[in-house]
Amino acid sequence: MGRWRDGRGTLLVHGGGGGVTAVPLEIAASIRARTRGLLGRDGLDGAILLSPANGIHTFRMRMAIDVAYLDRRLKVIAVRTMRPGRLGLPRLRSRHVLEAEAGAMAGWGVEAGARVSVNVSVEEGRGG
């Protein structure tokens, strides 16, 4: 897998029954975008992918969030809900972190063992 660029795309959650759920996605691949993340926001339409990342914090956040840790093949290692002002411990095999408003991931089927994929907008593309 190559590296993504900052931009937008679609998160595809592959369900156990063969169904796929599409979720609007922001991609934060640069250091600046990953550092900014969800800070200062009151909400989020969809999810944000921090890549590369293996841990996060919720200091200065205004809302509780769901956090999914993904391995290099985009398999979900763990999902946690974090309130503002918390430090999430890094996950050993995590290469990417997915964030969304608290409660959203359960509705999409994002749980430990699930697989996700990312479709990026053509104009955004992937970097090398």
Side-chain angles (χ1 to χ4, degrees):
M1 238 174 240
R3 287 185 173 258
W4 286 288
R5 293 184 193 158
D6 293 346
R8 297 196 174 274
T10 304
L11 176 73
L12 301 174
V13 182
H14 304 276
V20 176
T21 302
V23 178
L25 182 69
E26 292 180 36
I27 299 168
S30 69
I31 292 172
R32 181 177 178 170
R34 289 193 317 265
T35 301
R36 184 176 58 239
L38 296 177
L39 295 178
R41 296 195 202 186
D42 292 318
L44 174 66
D45 178 28
I48 184 169
L49 178 71
L50 308 176
S51 179
N54 66 354
I56 62 111
H57 68 82
T58 59
F59 300 122
R60 296 189 352 235
M61 283 199 184
R62 297 179 181 172
M63 61 184 172
I65 60 170
D66 283 347
V67 180
Y69 298 89
L70 311 175
D71 70 10
R72 61 187 177 91
R73 293 190 173 127
L74 301 183
K75 181 178 178 183
V76 179
I77 298 169
V79 179
R80 298 286 180 262
T81 299
M82 294 178 63
R83 296 190 321 259
R86 303 286 185 227
L87 176 64
L89 296 175
R91 300 286 169 159
L92 189 59
R93 295 180 356 257
S94 179
R95 298 292 178 267
H96 318 279
V97 174
L98 192 63
E99 298 178 345
E101 287 188 25
M105 289 190 188
W108 302 332
V110 176
E111 58 189 19
R115 291 210 175 267
V116 300
S117 58
V118 174
N119 283 351
V120 292
S121 302
V122 174
E123 65 274 9
E124 301 295 344
R126 286 177 96 157

